[in-house]
Amino acid sequence: ISVALPGTERATRARGSGRAAPHLLAVGSVIPRKGYDVLVRAMARLTDLDWTLDIVGALEHAPATVAEVEALIKVHHLTHRMRLTGPMSAADLDRSYAQADLFVMSSHYEGYGMALAEAMARGLPIVATAAGAAADTMAPEAGIQVPPGSPEALAEAIRKMLATPGFLRRFSDGSWAAGQRLPGWAETAGTIAGDVRKVAP
């Protein structure tokens, strides 16, 4: 069995929000598997800290989940801090990555974790759940991993990132280094082509 990892486009290193309050970013369709209800509950534990958070992703796949997440945001009085932006164009999403200070992922399961790879390609520090194969996608030096489904663990890790001096810079440097090691699409295609030639010369 040969494995060809998905390619990751090279990107400019994120410059951050430049704000006093760190800006967090989550990327992925608002569906049950992404665990955004867990993320909202985690962020509700961090209202003593300054932050804002955008969840970027499609809203049409699971309307009940979207309604649940929006309701939780209101219940926890986070409407001035958290927003569901809906999908973005490639250019707008690139700007969102560039202007983020921390990438967060709350998924219950991921088959690979393309958003994690894209975050590392930009040198974003990460707090993510060890959700399936995503646990291997994320390099240890890129951030902190926590068990899926635990608002308490997710909140604790995010608090460490935001409240510990030097953590964001330390993990940003680690994430950037890891991102430069990810294969590009040409390398992925070369791996697939090489294996095809072995069986069908």
Side-chain angles (χ1 to χ4, degrees):
I1 297 174
S2 296
V3 176
L5 295 177
T8 302
E9 298 287 346
R10 292 290 175 256
T12 302
R13 186 167 180 171
R15 61 183 179 276
S17 66
R19 307 174 194 165
H23 182 62
L24 285 63
L25 177 68
V27 175
S29 299
V30 183
I31 55 177
R33 179 170 59 83
K34 296 296 184 179
Y36 289 132
D37 57 324
V38 177
L39 180 57
V40 176
R41 291 185 173 98
M43 301 313 297
R45 295 169 176 267
L46 301 173
T47 54
D48 58 307
L49 301 177
D50 288 331
W51 53 266
T52 58
L53 191 157
D54 281 351
I55 297 174
V56 178
L59 303 177
E60 70 272 14
H61 301 308
T65 300
V66 173
E68 177 189 9
V69 173
E70 289 177 335
L72 280 172
I73 290 172
K74 290 179 182 178
V75 164
H76 290 291
H77 308 290
L78 297 174
T79 53
H80 62 299
R81 294 190 185 224
M82 294 185 69
R83 63 174 186 156
L84 308 183
T85 70
M88 289 185 175
S89 68
D92 286 341
L93 180 58
D94 191 58
R95 278 190 289 271
S96 290
Y97 276 114
Q99 295 169 3
D101 299 296
L102 176 65
F103 186 85
V104 293
M105 189 193 79
S106 53
S107 295
H108 296 292
Y109 178 81
E110 289 289 338
Y112 173 67
M114 282 300 302
L116 289 176
E118 291 174 356
M120 288 190 295
R122 293 163 172 82
L124 278 173
I126 299 168
V127 171
T129 49
D136 296 321
T137 302
M138 179 182 158
E141 64 268 31
I144 302 172
Q145 288 190 344
V146 300
S150 173
E152 299 83 3
L154 192 59
E156 181 181 354
I158 294 172
R159 181 179 293 279
K160 284 181 181 178
M161 276 288 194
L162 299 184
T164 306
F167 260 38
L168 287 176
R169 171 51 60 179
R170 168 188 161 189
F171 286 113
S172 173
D173 290 343
S175 181
W176 176 252
Q180 303 317 294
R181 299 193 297 268
L182 293 170
W185 282 111
E187 185 177 343
T188 297
T191 299
I192 295 171
D195 286 343
V196 169
R197 282 194 292 269
K198 290 177 185 177
V199 298

